[in-house]
Amino acid sequence: MSTVPATAAAWATADPYAAALRRGHGPLFLRRADGWLLPLEVERWCARADAVDREVLDRCEGTVLDVGCGPGRLVAELAARGRAVLGIDVSAAAVDRTVRLGGPALRRSVFEPLPGEGRWATVLLMDGNIGIGGDPRALLDRVAVLLRPGGLLIAETALVDVDERAQVQVVGPTATGEADAHFPWARLGTRALLRYARGWEPVGQWTTGGRCFAALRSRRSRTASSSAEAPKRTAVISSQRARNMSAGSPVADR
């Protein structure tokens, strides 16, 4: 999909985002081309997993891939529970912070080859990450390839009933309109997500703590999943330490 490299490059080089993660707080926004601002919850992302997060993590099955893991609160919480987990993010600052919290993470786009393709039991798309790439159907198709047959997707959706695609920038409080490149993003409520979820079985919807979630189970067959691209044997995390990938395990050896 042609928009994916632009999305990854723009977000990964968004200096306001990296600076906010280093500070541990905002203000930080996604700004549409028409000037509308969506506040980003940097403080919550940089904190430890809260009660709402932990409820989501309690629903995870088997090995967990956190797509767009940000500063790593969910990966760190799962790692502390002894779960097999991997976070991926296109931002070096996000991956660096995840690793410092004790969670395994790779600087990688979800649309690039990933360890354990076709073998993950659960994929997380939290904190609005259902919007990655600006094409929800393409993202859902990609997640289906990453999951094992019958695997579980847990996605956080917008509280409002919205189905929006837009070009956005990551901006801080003083950024000019030329600070960072625009990239495609999407905002979906649960009803919109379910409209795009061909080949998925809805298995749960809930709202708690002012946040909204949906759980979907992949209907992908073993025959279809067997064609997924084999994972690379090695990858480098932001600390520049190389970790070998086990052919039998979807996460980096620790």
Side-chain angles (χ1 to χ4, degrees), residues 198-221:
R198 298 174 183 169
W200 295 85
E201 177 188 359
V203 293
Q205 300 173 39
W206 68 99
T207 300
T208 183
R211 296 163 64 189
C212 195
F213 304 90
L216 308 173
R217 195 168 295 283
S218 172
R219 292 180 176 141
R220 188 178 180 85
S221 69

Side-chain angles (χ1 to χ4, degrees), residues 73-140:
R73 74 188 191 281
L74 305 179
V75 177
E77 172 68 20
L78 285 168
R81 296 183 182 190
R83 298 290 296 274
V85 59
L86 178 67
I88 61 167
D89 204 290
V90 296
S91 165
V95 172
D96 225 17
R97 186 166 178 133
T98 301
V99 173
R100 290 200 305 272
L101 287 177
L106 297 172
R107 188 180 182 188
R108 200 77 62 84
S109 164
V110 66
F111 295 101
E112 295 180 279
L114 293 172
E117 297 207 10
R119 301 199 300 275
W120 293 98
T122 304
V123 168
L124 296 175
L125 287 170
M126 298 281 280
D127 304 323
N129 285 331
I130 189 63
I132 289 173
D135 187 337
R137 185 161 291 139
L139 181 58
L140 288 170

